[in-house]
């Protein structure tokens, strides 16, 4: 009956499509890739034998025993390839699961270690930042102090210059600094003395 052959007619296409999908899924496994061509050939051979049996049945002929025996041998070959591939996949899954379990047992330790490194780095940089900020404040205070001293010296030099300009040549400016204001004070003292 023709309706009984519908599943048979769909089998080659779906079987070969499944084999193609398996080839894509196992691209990273060289051993599995080596098993695909012989499995493909065995499937083609099996479908060819089934075609022969169907033609004989359609013509009303009996199926010879050698075709049945050959079909069984081919199916045994297909089963052997499939079982070998399944076993490889199970072994691969087992190995990957073991590796994952090893990594998952190390992960908490790594998280704690990286957290500690982060905390220590943060502490170190905060300490350096505080030290840098403290040095900046200290330098700023020193600069303010020098600015005040400079302003006071300029005021004194102005007063001495004003006194010399008004005729008081007895005033002297005492200065131990060796900068531009100190040099100016020495010149004013020389001018008053002459």
């Amino acid at each position: 009956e023709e309706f009984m052959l519908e599943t048979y007619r769909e089998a080659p296409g779906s079987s070969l499509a499944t084999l193609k999908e398996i080839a894509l899924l196992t691209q990273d496994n060289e051993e599995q890739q080596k098993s695909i061509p012989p499995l493909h050939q065995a499937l083609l051979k099996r479908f060819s034998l089934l075609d022969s049996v169907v033609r004989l049945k359609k013509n009303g002929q009996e199926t010879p025993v050698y075709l049945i025996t050959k079909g069984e041998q081919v199916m045994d070959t297909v089963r052997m390839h499939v079982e070998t591939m399944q076993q490889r996949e199970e072994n691969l899954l087992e190995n990957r699961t073991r590796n994952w379990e090893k990594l998952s047992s190390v992960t908490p330790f790594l998280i704690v270690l990286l957290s500690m490194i982060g905390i220590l780095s943060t502490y170190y940089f905060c300490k350096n930042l505080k030290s840098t900020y403290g040095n900046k404040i200290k330098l700023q205070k020193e600069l303010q102090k020098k600015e005040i001293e400079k302003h006071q010296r300029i005021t004194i030099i102005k007063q001495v210059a004003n006194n010399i300009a008004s005729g008081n040549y007895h005033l002297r400016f005492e200065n131990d600094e060796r900068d531009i204001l100190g040099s100016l004070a020495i010149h004013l003292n020389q001018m008053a003395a002459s």
Side-chain angles (χ1 to χ4, degrees):
E1 299 289 329
E2 280 298 317
F3 73 90
M4 295 178 77
L5 295 176
E6 284 181 39
T7 304
Y8 159 74
R9 287 191 184 109
E10 293 172 3
S14 66
S15 296
L16 295 176
T18 301
L19 188 60
K20 195 173 193 177
E21 188 177 338
I22 290 170
L24 287 173
L25 292 172
T26 59
Q27 288 180 54
D28 63 337
N29 190 330
E30 191 177 326
E31 290 296 314
Q32 294 292 57
Q33 292 294 307
K34 288 178 184 176
S35 295
I36 290 174
L39 179 57
H40 184 261
Q41 291 302 316
L43 285 171
L44 291 177
K45 196 175 211 178
R46 177 63 180 146
F47 292 127
S48 174
L49 288 171
L50 285 173
D51 282 340
S52 298
V53 171
V54 169
R55 271 195 309 277
L56 288 172
K57 287 290 184 182
K58 279 186 175 182
N59 293 333
Q61 297 175 334
E62 287 294 316
T63 306
V65 176
Y66 80 89
L67 275 180
I68 294 172
T69 306
K70 186 69 175 165
E72 287 176 351
Q73 289 172 348
V74 171
M75 276 310 294
D76 287 343
T77 302
V78 168
R79 281 189 205 96
M80 180 198 66
H81 284 300
V82 169
E83 287 171 4
T84 300
M85 290 179 77
Q86 281 179 325
Q87 188 60 48
R88 280 192 202 123
E89 285 300 309
E90 287 173 9
N91 291 342
L92 182 62
L93 177 62
E94 204 173 288
N95 287 337
R96 287 180 178 171
T97 301
R98 267 196 307 274
N99 289 339
W100 180 82
E101 287 172 351
K102 285 178 189 175
L103 288 175
S104 67
S105 66
V106 172
T107 301
F109 172 73
L110 288 175
I111 290 171
V112 169
L113 178 66
L114 292 174
S115 298
M116 294 297 287
I117 290 171
I119 290 168
L120 290 174
S121 297
T122 303
Y123 173 76
Y124 173 76
F125 287 115
C126 285
K127 185 178 176 184
N128 281 347
L129 182 63
K130 182 179 177 185
S131 173
T132 302
Y133 181 74
N135 289 339
K136 181 181 175 186
I137 295 295
K138 184 179 173 184
L139 286 173
Q140 189 174 3
K141 286 180 180 179
E142 286 178 23
L143 285 173
Q144 284 175 342
K145 182 180 171 188
K146 288 200 181 247
E147 188 66 31
I148 291 169
E149 287 175 3
K150 196 185 311 179
H151 183 35
Q152 289 172 346
R153 287 172 63 203
I154 290 172
T155 304
I156 292 171
I157 289 173
K158 274 185 186 176
Q159 290 171 354
V160 169
N162 287 338
N163 282 329
I164 291 173
S166 59
N168 184 358
Y169 299 111
H170 299 292
L171 283 177
R172 298 287 183 265
F173 184 76
E174 291 183 24
N175 185 23
D176 296 335
E177 299 290 326
R178 294 181 183 251
D179 60 3
I180 206 159
L181 291 178
S183 174
L184 181 60
I186 290 171
H187 290 297
L188 280 175
N189 286 340
Q190 288 174 350
M191 189 171 79
S194 52

